[in-house]
Amino acid sequence: MNPIHLGGEVTLSYTQLISFDFVTVDVLPEKKGVLMKHTEYLVKSKSFNSSVQRRYTHFEVFYELLIARFPYRMIPRLPPKKIGMTDHFINQRRKALTRFLSIISRHPVLRKDPISQFFFTAEVNDLHIHMRDKFKNVLDEFVTNPDKSTIESELKMVSGDVTGMKQELVRMLNSASVLRELSERWVARTREASYDLQ
């Protein structure tokens, strides 16, 4: 089978595409909670070989931890929270949560992170509390990156290039201002000369 080109230099074969994770999110039929009833979801992941129950609160904490760990990556947003949900709203949220988890589980970096692995596999009560405790001191990916010094030196080079470009832009703007002023003077003189000829 021919590889599929996804733009740039990324190519994937059909086998690689079907090896991506397949995530499903289903609404559990009975609502949980003594006083405040809440919806629970059954999250199944093919690559993590897991089937776990999650509340929306668990998704919120997972999202917060991912944002803290990966501040420079595009993490998809969660669907909104709402009190007094209809069946239609719950179904729309289920679809959005499926998209959210599919993106995370198929991302080459996010899927390998311990936060994601814990979310997809941990079977504990009060998952949101356990996740916050377990990952409260996790640093962002660039602080812990083994290539940190290489990245920093490349950023310094780019920063130097940007400074040089800024200086060149200022010089060009000054030149353009001088040219504009000269052309305005020429237009004014031409007008004065045309009045003299009348």
Side-chain angles (χ1 to χ4, degrees):
M1 179 144 286
N2 293 335
I4 297 169
H5 298 278
L6 298 175
E9 303 208 7
V10 178
T11 58
L12 298 171
S13 67
Y14 177 74
T15 308
Q16 290 170 313
L17 281 173
I18 63 170
S19 72
F20 283 154
D21 196 9
F22 182 75
V23 176
T24 60
V25 177
D26 295 311
V27 178
L28 292 174
E30 101 183 35
K31 293 192 180 251
K32 305 276 174 124
V34 178
L35 296 175
M36 297 290 290
K37 298 286 185 191
H38 59 267
T39 304
E40 289 211 353
Y41 302 93
L42 183 64
V43 176
K44 294 180 183 178
S45 169
K46 183 176 122 186
S47 69
F48 288 106
N49 194 23
S50 64
S51 177
V52 292
Q53 292 183 14
R54 296 290 179 255
R55 294 176 52 183
Y56 186 78
T57 305
H58 303 155
F59 284 91
E60 288 179 313
V61 172
F62 180 44
Y63 176 77
E64 290 167 11
L65 291 169
L66 286 175
I67 292 293
R69 175 87 171 107
F70 302 100
Y72 306 107
R73 292 191 187 268
M74 292 181 65
I75 308 293
R77 296 188 69 154
L78 284 175
K81 192 169 191 165
K82 183 179 177 184
I83 297 174
M85 301 179 291
T86 64
D87 288 341
H88 175 72
F89 178 82
I90 290 171
N91 189 45
Q92 294 298 77
R93 179 193 274 175
R94 180 196 62 76
K95 289 177 183 176
L97 291 173
T98 302
R99 277 191 301 273
F100 170 78
L101 291 180
S102 294
I103 291 168
I104 301 299
S105 69
R106 292 173 180 168
H107 191 280
V109 174
L110 300 179
R111 68 173 297 158
K112 293 177 185 173
D113 193 76
I115 296 169
S116 297
Q117 293 173 357
F118 191 81
F119 180 84
F120 278 104
T121 60
E123 293 187 44
V124 295
N125 292 328
D126 298 324
L127 178 82
H128 56 294
I129 296 170
H130 287 284
M131 285 184 76
R132 280 197 177 115
D133 287 343
K134 185 174 178 75
F135 300 108
K136 66 183 171 193
N137 296 324
V138 173
L139 302 170
D140 79 46
E141 69 176 319
F142 288 110
V143 173
T144 59
N145 193 321
D147 298 327
K148 181 181 173 188
S149 59
T150 305
I151 293 169
E152 285 175 345
S153 64
E154 288 176 2
L155 283 175
K156 285 178 185 173
M157 286 185 338
V158 168
S159 173
D161 291 347
V162 169
T163 302
M165 283 190 249
K166 272 184 176 179
Q167 292 169 346
E168 184 64 22
L169 275 173
V170 167
R171 190 186 66 72
M172 289 169 61
L173 284 172
N174 288 338
S175 297
S177 294
V178 168
L179 284 172
R180 191 189 88 214
E181 190 176 318
L182 288 172
S183 63
E184 285 174 354
R185 285 183 191 166
W186 181 78
V187 168
R189 285 185 190 147
T190 305
R191 279 190 189 138
E192 287 174 11
S194 71
Y195 291 134
D196 287 344
L197 294 174
Q198 291 178 355

